[in-house]
Protein backbone atom coordinates (compact mmCIF):
# COMPACT_ATOMS: atom_id res chain seq x y z
CA UNK A 1 0.00 0.00 0.00
CA UNK A 2 2.82 2.40 0.86
CA UNK A 3 4.57 1.62 -2.45
CA UNK A 4 1.37 2.29 -4.37
CA UNK A 5 0.87 5.61 -2.56
CA UNK A 6 4.48 6.59 -3.29
CA UNK A 7 4.00 5.81 -7.00
CA UNK A 8 0.86 7.96 -7.03
CA UNK A 9 2.68 10.84 -5.38
CA UNK A 10 5.56 10.63 -7.86
CA UNK A 11 3.11 10.51 -10.76
CA UNK A 12 1.39 13.63 -9.45
CA UNK A 13 4.74 15.41 -9.13
CA UNK A 14 5.54 14.58 -12.75
CA UNK A 15 2.25 16.13 -13.86
CA UNK A 16 3.06 19.48 -12.29
CA UNK A 17 4.06 22.31 -14.59
CA UNK A 18 6.47 23.64 -11.97
CA UNK A 19 9.80 21.98 -11.38
CA UNK A 20 10.20 20.25 -8.00
CA UNK A 21 13.42 18.93 -6.43
CA UNK A 22 13.25 17.18 -3.07
CA UNK A 23 16.27 16.70 -0.80
CA UNK A 24 16.41 14.48 2.29
CA UNK A 25 17.47 15.52 5.77
CA UNK A 26 21.16 15.39 4.80
CA UNK A 27 20.60 17.39 1.63
CA UNK A 28 20.91 14.53 -0.86
CA UNK A 29 18.58 14.95 -3.82
CA UNK A 30 16.02 12.12 -3.76
CA UNK A 31 13.37 13.33 -6.23
CA UNK A 32 13.47 15.38 -9.42
CA UNK A 33 10.12 15.70 -11.17
CA UNK A 34 9.65 15.79 -14.93
CA UNK A 35 9.36 19.60 -15.15
CA UNK A 36 12.61 20.08 -13.19
CA UNK A 37 14.35 17.55 -15.44
CA UNK A 38 13.22 19.48 -18.54
CA UNK A 39 14.38 22.80 -17.09
CA UNK A 40 17.84 21.41 -16.23
CA UNK A 41 18.16 19.05 -19.18
CA UNK A 42 19.23 16.37 -16.74
CA UNK A 43 18.16 14.49 -13.63
CA UNK A 44 20.76 13.45 -11.07
CA UNK A 45 19.94 11.93 -7.71
CA UNK A 46 22.03 11.48 -4.54
CA UNK A 47 23.75 14.82 -5.19
CA UNK A 48 24.89 16.51 -1.98
CA UNK A 49 24.70 20.28 -1.26
CA UNK A 50 28.39 20.93 -2.02
CA UNK A 51 27.90 19.42 -5.48
CA UNK A 52 24.58 21.05 -6.45
CA UNK A 53 26.19 23.78 -8.50
CA UNK A 54 28.69 21.61 -10.39
CA UNK A 55 26.36 18.67 -11.00
CA UNK A 56 23.59 20.81 -12.48
CA UNK A 57 25.90 23.52 -13.93
CA UNK A 58 24.26 26.41 -12.10
CA UNK A 59 25.40 29.97 -12.79
CA UNK A 60 24.69 33.42 -11.43
CA UNK A 61 23.04 36.01 -13.69
CA UNK A 62 26.57 37.31 -14.33
CA UNK A 63 27.52 33.88 -15.74
CA UNK A 64 29.81 33.01 -12.83
CA UNK A 65 29.62 29.58 -11.14
CA UNK A 66 26.93 29.83 -8.48
CA UNK A 67 28.47 29.36 -4.99
CA UNK A 68 26.97 26.13 -3.73
CA UNK A 69 26.58 27.45 -0.19
CA UNK A 70 24.39 30.31 -1.43
CA UNK A 71 21.98 28.27 -3.52
CA UNK A 72 18.35 28.40 -2.32
CA UNK A 73 18.14 24.64 -1.74
CA UNK A 74 21.40 24.66 0.24
CA UNK A 75 20.06 27.50 2.37
CA UNK A 76 16.94 25.46 3.12
CA UNK A 77 18.87 22.24 3.85
CA UNK A 78 21.74 23.64 5.92
CA UNK A 79 20.16 26.65 7.63
CA UNK A 80 16.45 25.80 7.55
CA UNK A 81 15.70 29.04 5.70
CA UNK A 82 12.91 29.82 3.30
CA UNK A 83 14.34 31.55 0.22
CA UNK A 84 11.79 33.03 -2.15
CA UNK A 85 11.90 33.86 -5.88
CA UNK A 86 15.64 33.78 -6.50
CA UNK A 87 16.88 33.74 -10.12
CA UNK A 88 19.82 31.79 -11.50
CA UNK A 89 21.06 30.37 -14.79
CA UNK A 90 21.25 26.73 -15.79
CA UNK A 91 23.60 25.51 -18.51
CA UNK A 92 22.08 22.44 -20.09
CA UNK A 93 24.10 19.57 -21.56
CA UNK A 94 23.17 20.75 -25.09
CA UNK A 95 24.77 24.16 -24.39
CA UNK A 96 21.53 26.13 -24.07
CA UNK A 97 21.04 28.38 -21.05
CA UNK A 98 17.82 28.65 -19.04
CA UNK A 99 16.88 31.38 -16.57
CA UNK A 100 15.14 29.78 -13.60
CA UNK A 101 13.42 31.39 -10.63
CA UNK A 102 12.91 29.25 -7.57
CA UNK A 103 11.78 29.05 -3.97
CA UNK A 104 13.28 26.67 -1.38
CA UNK A 105 11.71 25.69 1.93
CA UNK A 106 12.55 23.28 4.76
CA UNK A 107 10.05 20.47 5.38
CA UNK A 108 9.20 19.88 9.04
CA UNK A 109 7.52 16.95 10.76
CA UNK A 110 4.71 17.24 13.30
CA UNK A 111 7.19 18.01 16.08
CA UNK A 112 8.81 20.83 14.11
CA UNK A 113 11.98 18.88 13.27
CA UNK A 114 13.39 19.35 9.78
CA UNK A 115 13.22 16.13 7.81
CA UNK A 116 13.74 17.35 4.24
CA UNK A 117 13.82 20.39 1.95
CA UNK A 118 12.06 21.18 -1.29
CA UNK A 119 12.90 23.48 -4.19
CA UNK A 120 10.20 24.61 -6.62
CA UNK A 121 11.17 26.43 -9.81
CA UNK A 122 9.89 27.78 -13.10
CA UNK A 123 11.48 28.64 -16.43
CA UNK A 124 11.59 32.45 -16.77
CA UNK A 125 13.94 32.61 -19.78
CA UNK A 126 11.49 34.28 -22.15
CA UNK A 127 10.40 36.81 -19.58
CA UNK A 128 13.99 37.63 -18.62
CA UNK A 129 15.07 38.22 -22.21
CA UNK A 130 11.90 40.23 -22.92
CA UNK A 131 12.66 42.50 -19.98
CA UNK A 132 16.29 42.80 -21.05
CA UNK A 133 15.10 43.89 -24.50
CA UNK A 134 12.72 46.38 -22.89
CA UNK A 135 15.57 47.76 -20.79
CA UNK A 136 17.73 48.22 -23.87
CA UNK A 137 14.87 49.91 -25.73
CA UNK A 138 14.28 52.26 -22.81
CA UNK A 139 17.98 53.10 -22.68
CA UNK A 140 17.86 54.02 -26.39
CA UNK A 141 14.76 56.14 -25.74
CA UNK A 142 16.49 57.90 -22.86
CA UNK A 143 19.47 58.70 -25.05
CA UNK A 144 17.30 60.03 -27.87
CA UNK A 145 15.17 62.17 -25.55
CA UNK A 146 18.27 63.55 -23.88
CA UNK A 147 19.63 64.52 -27.29
CA UNK A 148 16.32 66.07 -28.38
CA UNK A 149 15.99 68.23 -25.26
CA UNK A 150 19.65 69.20 -25.47
CA UNK A 151 19.25 70.28 -29.09
CA UNK A 152 16.04 72.20 -28.34
CA UNK A 153 17.84 74.03 -25.56
CA UNK A 154 20.79 74.83 -27.86
CA UNK A 155 18.46 76.06 -30.61
CA UNK A 156 16.65 78.33 -28.16
CA UNK A 157 19.97 79.69 -26.99
CA UNK A 158 20.83 80.54 -30.60
CA UNK A 159 17.51 82.38 -30.97
CA UNK A 160 18.17 84.25 -27.72
CA UNK A 161 21.62 85.25 -28.98
CA UNK A 162 20.17 86.50 -32.28
CA UNK A 163 17.64 88.63 -30.39
CA UNK A 164 20.46 90.03 -28.24
CA UNK A 165 22.40 90.94 -31.39
CA UNK A 166 19.39 92.83 -32.73
CA UNK A 167 19.07 94.68 -29.41
CA UNK A 168 22.56 96.12 -29.86
CA UNK A 169 21.67 97.55 -33.27
CA UNK A 170 18.28 99.03 -32.31
CA UNK A 171 18.35 102.61 -31.09
CA UNK A 172 14.70 103.01 -30.14
CA UNK A 173 14.32 102.42 -26.40
CA UNK A 174 10.84 100.89 -26.66
CA UNK A 175 12.02 98.47 -29.34
CA UNK A 176 15.01 97.43 -27.24
CA UNK A 177 12.75 96.86 -24.25
CA UNK A 178 10.41 94.70 -26.35
CA UNK A 179 13.34 92.63 -27.65
CA UNK A 180 14.70 92.26 -24.12
CA UNK A 181 11.31 91.00 -22.91
CA UNK A 182 11.20 88.52 -25.80
CA UNK A 183 14.70 87.32 -24.99
CA UNK A 184 13.79 86.76 -21.33
CA UNK A 185 10.77 84.68 -22.34
CA UNK A 186 12.91 82.57 -24.64
CA UNK A 187 15.38 82.07 -21.78
CA UNK A 188 12.58 80.77 -19.54
CA UNK A 189 11.68 78.09 -22.10
CA UNK A 190 15.38 77.32 -22.51
CA UNK A 191 15.75 76.83 -18.75
CA UNK A 192 12.79 74.42 -18.74
CA UNK A 193 14.37 72.22 -21.42
CA UNK A 194 17.73 72.43 -19.69
CA UNK A 195 16.04 71.09 -16.56
CA UNK A 196 14.68 68.17 -18.59
CA UNK A 197 18.01 66.87 -19.82
CA UNK A 198 20.01 67.78 -16.71
CA UNK A 199 17.64 65.79 -14.50
CA UNK A 200 17.17 63.07 -17.13
CA UNK A 201 13.37 63.23 -16.81
CA UNK A 202 12.48 64.20 -20.42
CA UNK A 203 8.72 64.57 -19.95
CA UNK A 204 8.21 66.16 -16.53
CA UNK A 205 9.68 69.12 -14.67
CA UNK A 206 10.17 69.71 -10.94
CA UNK A 207 8.88 73.30 -10.82
CA UNK A 208 9.38 73.57 -7.07
CA UNK A 209 13.10 73.90 -7.83
CA UNK A 210 12.98 75.56 -11.24
CA UNK A 211 10.57 78.41 -10.40
CA UNK A 212 12.56 79.83 -7.43
CA UNK A 213 15.70 79.73 -9.56
CA UNK A 214 14.03 81.61 -12.43
CA UNK A 215 12.52 84.20 -10.10
CA UNK A 216 15.89 84.74 -8.39
CA UNK A 217 17.45 85.46 -11.77
CA UNK A 218 14.76 88.08 -12.47
CA UNK A 219 15.17 89.67 -9.03
CA UNK A 220 18.97 89.76 -9.41
CA UNK A 221 18.62 91.48 -12.81
CA UNK A 222 16.38 94.25 -11.51
CA UNK A 223 18.31 94.58 -8.24
CA UNK A 224 21.05 96.33 -10.18
CA UNK A 225 18.87 99.45 -10.12
CA UNK A 226 16.73 98.81 -7.01
CA UNK A 227 17.28 96.81 -3.85
CA UNK A 228 14.80 93.98 -4.44
CA UNK A 229 14.80 90.97 -2.13
CA UNK A 230 13.10 87.67 -2.94
CA UNK A 231 11.72 85.20 -0.40
CA UNK A 232 10.42 81.74 -1.36
CA UNK A 233 8.12 79.39 0.55
CA UNK A 234 7.41 75.85 -0.62
CA UNK A 235 4.90 73.26 0.54
CA UNK A 236 4.96 69.97 -1.28
CA UNK A 237 6.59 69.16 -4.62
CA UNK A 238 5.26 70.54 -7.91
CA UNK A 239 5.94 68.06 -10.70
CA UNK A 240 4.33 68.93 -14.04
CA UNK A 241 4.29 67.74 -17.62
CA UNK A 242 6.46 69.83 -19.94
CA UNK A 243 3.58 71.80 -21.49
CA UNK A 244 2.17 72.78 -18.09
CA UNK A 245 5.61 73.56 -16.70
CA UNK A 246 6.48 75.93 -19.56
CA UNK A 247 3.16 77.77 -19.22
CA UNK A 248 3.48 78.10 -15.44
CA UNK A 249 7.12 79.24 -15.56
CA UNK A 250 6.36 81.85 -18.22
CA UNK A 251 3.34 83.18 -16.31
CA UNK A 252 5.18 83.39 -12.98
CA UNK A 253 8.25 85.08 -14.47
CA UNK A 254 5.96 87.63 -16.18
CA UNK A 255 4.37 88.43 -12.82
CA UNK A 256 7.83 88.61 -11.28
CA UNK A 257 9.09 90.99 -13.96
CA UNK A 258 6.02 93.24 -13.63
CA UNK A 259 6.49 93.38 -9.86
CA UNK A 260 10.16 94.31 -10.21
CA UNK A 261 9.40 96.98 -12.83
CA UNK A 262 6.30 98.64 -11.42
CA UNK A 263 5.59 97.63 -7.81
CA UNK A 264 8.23 99.88 -6.26
CA UNK A 265 7.73 102.97 -8.41
CA UNK A 266 9.22 105.94 -6.57
CA UNK A 267 10.96 103.71 -4.03
CA UNK A 268 14.49 102.39 -3.72
CA UNK A 269 13.31 98.79 -3.67
CA UNK A 270 11.14 96.34 -1.83
CA UNK A 271 10.34 92.71 -1.09
CA UNK A 272 8.75 90.03 -3.28
CA UNK A 273 7.52 86.69 -1.97
CA UNK A 274 7.02 83.55 -4.07
CA UNK A 275 4.78 80.91 -2.48
CA UNK A 276 4.43 77.41 -3.95
CA UNK A 277 1.82 75.03 -2.55
CA UNK A 278 1.10 71.56 -3.89
CA UNK A 279 -1.49 68.96 -2.97
CA UNK A 280 -2.81 65.91 -4.78
CA UNK A 281 -5.57 67.83 -6.53
CA UNK A 282 -4.44 71.48 -6.64
CA UNK A 283 -1.38 73.62 -7.22
CA UNK A 284 -1.27 77.21 -5.97
CA UNK A 285 1.46 79.68 -6.90
CA UNK A 286 1.41 83.26 -5.67
CA UNK A 287 3.66 86.27 -6.28
CA UNK A 288 3.33 89.03 -3.65
CA UNK A 289 5.06 92.37 -3.26
CA UNK A 290 4.97 95.13 -0.65
CA UNK A 291 4.86 97.86 -3.26
CA UNK A 292 2.55 100.74 -4.08
CA UNK A 293 -0.29 98.68 -5.49
CA UNK A 294 -1.87 98.71 -8.94
CA UNK A 295 -4.16 101.44 -10.15
CA UNK A 296 -7.20 100.43 -12.14
CA UNK A 297 -6.62 101.22 -15.85
CA UNK A 298 -8.49 104.09 -17.36
CA UNK A 299 -11.36 103.33 -19.71
CA UNK A 300 -10.06 102.49 -23.16
CA UNK A 301 -6.49 101.92 -21.97
CA UNK A 302 -4.68 99.04 -23.64
CA UNK A 303 -3.78 95.97 -21.65
CA UNK A 304 -0.03 95.40 -21.39
CA UNK A 305 1.62 92.55 -23.27
CA UNK A 306 2.68 90.96 -19.97
CA UNK A 307 -0.90 90.85 -18.70
CA UNK A 308 -2.09 89.35 -21.98
CA UNK A 309 0.63 86.69 -21.82
CA UNK A 310 -0.25 85.75 -18.24
CA UNK A 311 -3.98 85.53 -19.10
CA UNK A 312 -3.23 83.38 -22.17
CA UNK A 313 -0.93 81.05 -20.25
CA UNK A 314 -3.44 80.75 -17.40
CA UNK A 315 -6.06 79.74 -19.95
CA UNK A 316 -3.75 77.01 -21.29
CA UNK A 317 -3.35 75.71 -17.72
CA UNK A 318 -7.11 75.91 -17.14
CA UNK A 319 -6.11 78.02 -14.14
CA UNK A 320 -7.76 80.83 -12.24
CA UNK A 321 -5.89 84.05 -11.43
CA UNK A 322 -6.82 86.21 -8.46
CA UNK A 323 -5.47 89.70 -7.86
CA UNK A 324 -5.46 91.54 -4.58
CA UNK A 325 -3.96 95.01 -4.55
CA UNK A 326 -3.78 98.01 -2.27
CA UNK A 327 -1.38 100.59 -0.86
CA UNK A 328 0.47 97.82 1.02
CA UNK A 329 1.22 95.79 -2.09
CA UNK A 330 -0.16 93.35 -4.65
CA UNK A 331 -0.65 89.60 -4.73
CA UNK A 332 -1.33 87.46 -7.81
CA UNK A 333 -2.43 83.89 -7.16
CA UNK A 334 -2.53 81.19 -9.85
CA UNK A 335 -4.39 78.00 -8.95
CA UNK A 336 -5.07 74.96 -11.11
CA UNK A 337 -5.41 71.19 -11.06
CA UNK A 338 -2.39 69.28 -12.37
CA UNK A 339 -2.90 66.94 -15.30
CA UNK A 340 -2.48 63.42 -14.03
CA UNK A 341 -1.34 60.39 -15.99
CA UNK A 342 -1.21 56.73 -15.10
CA UNK A 343 2.52 56.62 -14.46
CA UNK A 344 3.36 59.13 -11.76
CA UNK A 345 1.76 61.33 -9.11
CA UNK A 346 1.30 64.97 -10.02
CA UNK A 347 2.84 66.33 -6.84
CA UNK A 348 5.73 63.96 -6.36
CA UNK A 349 8.62 62.41 -8.13
CA UNK A 350 8.05 59.40 -10.38
CA UNK A 351 7.06 56.33 -8.44
CA UNK A 352 9.56 54.14 -10.25
CA UNK A 353 12.43 54.44 -12.67
CA UNK A 354 12.40 53.26 -16.25
CA UNK A 355 14.45 50.27 -15.16
CA UNK A 356 11.92 49.07 -12.59
CA UNK A 357 10.94 46.11 -14.79
CA UNK A 358 14.28 44.52 -13.96
CA UNK A 359 14.24 45.32 -10.24
CA UNK A 360 13.40 41.71 -9.44
CA UNK A 361 16.36 40.36 -11.36
CA UNK A 362 18.82 42.99 -10.11
CA UNK A 363 17.87 42.70 -6.45
CA UNK A 364 18.12 38.90 -6.48
CA UNK A 365 21.31 38.41 -8.46
CA UNK A 366 22.73 36.17 -5.75
CA UNK A 367 20.86 34.44 -2.96
Amino acid sequence: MSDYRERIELAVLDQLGEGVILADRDGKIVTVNRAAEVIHGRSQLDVEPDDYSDSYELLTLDDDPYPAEKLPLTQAVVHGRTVTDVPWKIKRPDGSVVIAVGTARPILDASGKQIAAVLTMRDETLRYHAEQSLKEALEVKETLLYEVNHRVRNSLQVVSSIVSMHMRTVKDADAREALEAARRRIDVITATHRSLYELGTHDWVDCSHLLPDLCKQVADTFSRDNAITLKCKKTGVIVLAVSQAVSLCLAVTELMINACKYAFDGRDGGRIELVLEASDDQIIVSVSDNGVGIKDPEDGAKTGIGSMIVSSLAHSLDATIERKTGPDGTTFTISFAPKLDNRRPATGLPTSSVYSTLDHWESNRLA
Side-chain angles (χ1 to χ4, degrees), residues 40-263:
H40 289 90
R42 55 170 68 82
S43 176
Q44 297 186 36
L45 302 180
D46 294 327
V47 178
E48 297 185 351
D50 289 343
D51 299 322
Y52 288 164
S53 188
D54 291 337
S55 297
Y56 282 89
E57 292 194 68
L58 307 180
L59 308 171
T60 69
L61 294 183
D62 295 319
D63 294 317
D64 297 321
Y66 210 122
E69 68 276 8
K70 292 188 176 183
L71 286 167
L73 186 57
T74 305
Q75 296 283 311
V77 169
V78 177
H79 303 291
R81 297 173 182 166
T82 296
V83 184
T84 305
D85 286 339
V86 174
W88 67 88
K89 288 184 178 181
I90 301 167
K91 187 176 181 181
R92 290 167 162 173
D94 62 5
S96 62
V97 176
V98 171
I99 310 294
V101 174
T103 295
R105 292 184 175 88
I107 297 176
L108 310 178
D109 61 15
S111 65
K113 182 180 179 180
Q114 182 172 332
I115 57 174
V118 62
L119 172 69
T120 58
M121 71 188 72
R122 59 189 183 275
D123 186 343
E124 292 278 12
T125 307
L126 293 178
R127 177 187 171 192
Y128 177 80
H129 289 306
E131 294 186 354
Q132 284 283 9
S133 298
L134 177 59
K135 176 184 177 181
E136 293 171 3
L138 288 171
E139 287 175 346
V140 171
K141 174 192 170 186
E142 289 290 300
T143 302
L144 291 175
L145 287 174
Y146 178 94
E147 183 64 22
V148 166
N149 284 314
H150 193 269
R151 291 191 179 191
V152 169
R153 180 250 189 177
N154 287 345
S155 297
L156 289 169
Q157 281 187 321
V158 170
V159 174
S160 179
S161 298
I162 292 174
V163 173
S164 295
M165 291 172 60
H166 279 294
M167 286 172 56
R168 290 194 291 268
T169 63
V170 173
K171 296 181 180 180
D172 184 78
D174 291 338
R176 281 201 306 271
E177 184 177 353
L179 288 172
E180 172 63 18
R183 186 190 63 78
R184 281 196 299 262
R185 290 159 188 148
I186 294 170
D187 288 345
V188 170
I189 302 174
T190 302
T192 305
H193 281 273
R194 184 182 69 242
S195 174
L196 289 174
Y197 78 78
E198 285 182 348
L199 294 176
T201 53
H202 307 305
D203 59 351
W204 59 271
V205 178
D206 185 357
C207 292
S208 52
H209 285 87
L210 181 58
L211 272 174
D213 184 51
L214 291 172
C215 290
K216 184 179 183 300
Q217 293 178 37
V218 173
D220 289 345
T221 299
F222 284 93
S223 290
R224 297 167 188 169
D225 300 320
N226 296 304
I228 298 174
T229 60
L230 174 66
K231 184 177 181 181
C232 297
K233 291 182 179 180
K234 295 188 290 185
T235 303
V237 180
I238 300 177
V239 174
L240 299 175
V242 178
S243 58
Q244 280 195 310
V246 169
S247 296
L248 180 62
C249 290
L250 282 170
V252 172
T253 52
E254 286 294 331
L255 293 174
M256 186 73 188
I257 290 169
N258 286 342
C260 291
K261 289 173 67 175
Y262 306 118

Side-chain angles (χ1 to χ4, degrees), residues 302-357:
K302 292 184 178 180
T303 303
I305 184 74
S307 298
M308 290 191 293
I309 289 175
V310 172
S311 297
S312 176
L313 293 170
H315 179 74
S316 70
L317 288 169
D318 196 19
T320 59
I321 299 181
E322 295 181 0
R323 187 192 76 174
K324 294 181 179 179
T325 186
D328 296 326
T330 301
T331 298
F332 282 92
T333 302
I334 302 174
S335 58
F336 63 98
K339 294 179 181 178
L340 301 174
D341 61 27
N342 294 324
R343 294 171 295 169
R344 59 177 63 90
T347 57
L349 298 178
T351 55
S352 61
S353 72
V354 294
Y355 305 117
S356 61
T357 53

